[in-house]
Amino acid sequence: RMTETTKPRLIGINHVAIEVGDIEQALEWYGQLFSFTLRGKGERNAFIDMGDQFINMTLATGPEERPTEARHIGLVVDDRSRIIELAKTAGARMVEGPFLDFLDPWGNRLEIIEYGNIQFTKAPHILRGMGLALEKNEKAKRELADKGMAEEPAR
C-alpha cells in the first residue's frame, strides 16, 4: 500500500467545463448574472475569466458521445507524474486527447493539471499552510504578468 506522501496532492480547481447549446446565448445569459471578461472565444467554446481560474463553455455534443463529454473539472495537483499509473490502478478509464483526462467509475471526467504550469495560484500563506513550496514555470509567470497578476517582487 502506498503512503499518502507518494500520491499527488490536490491543490485546487483550475476550471470547470460545462456544455451549452449555443455559445452566444450562454454568454448573454451568464452576462445577465455576472460581470466578467472573456479569456477567449472560438466557434465551439468560450472561456470566462475568474482571475487565475475560468469557466470553459463548450458547445454540447450529441447524446451518443456522452461517455467522454466535454463537461469536466480541472483539478490542480502538485505533481502529476504518477497520475496515469494511479488512475489505471484505480480502474479509471483514460480519455484520448491532448490533456491528462480520465473518467471515474461514475463517468465524471477529471482533467489533471500541474500547479507549476498554469495561472491558478494559491497565496503564499495558503501554500505554506498546506505544507507546499511550489513554483510557476516561465509561461505561467508570463500569463499572470500579462494580466497584471504577477507575484510582488521580494523587498
Side-chain angles (χ1 to χ4, degrees), residues 67-147:
T68 57
E69 61 202 347
R71 282 178 280 177
H72 67 272
I73 188 166
L75 296 175
V76 182
V77 297
D78 57 346
D79 174 11
R80 66 180 213 164
S81 62
R82 298 198 56 229
I83 286 288
I84 293 173
E85 166 198 349
L86 294 169
K88 285 180 177 177
T89 300
R93 196 168 102 235
M94 302 310 289
V95 175
E96 292 296 317
F99 304 109
L100 201 170
D101 289 20
F102 54 85
L103 302 178
D104 72 10
W106 304 275
N108 297 300
R109 184 171 176 160
L110 306 176
E111 178 182 333
I112 309 301
I113 308 116
E114 195 162 312
Y115 181 84
N117 300 333
I118 56 166
Q119 294 178 33
F120 172 81
T121 304
K122 289 279 191 188
H125 66 281
I126 302 293
L127 283 174
R128 252 192 331 276
M130 293 175 76
L132 297 168
L134 302 172
E135 297 293 324
K136 296 287 177 196
N137 68 20
E138 289 309 311
K139 180 179 178 282
K141 287 178 185 177
R142 249 190 333 277
E143 288 173 351
L144 286 164
D146 288 349
K147 293 169 86 172

Side-chain angles (χ1 to χ4, degrees), residues 26-53:
L27 289 172
E28 185 178 317
W29 189 86
Y30 276 85
Q32 292 176 63
L33 303 174
F34 308 108
S35 172
F36 59 81
T37 302
L38 277 182
R39 179 177 286 195
K41 184 171 134 276
E43 196 175 301
R44 298 194 54 81
N45 355 41
F47 301 88
I48 293 177
D49 231 343
M50 297 186 300
D52 60 354
Q53 298 169 304

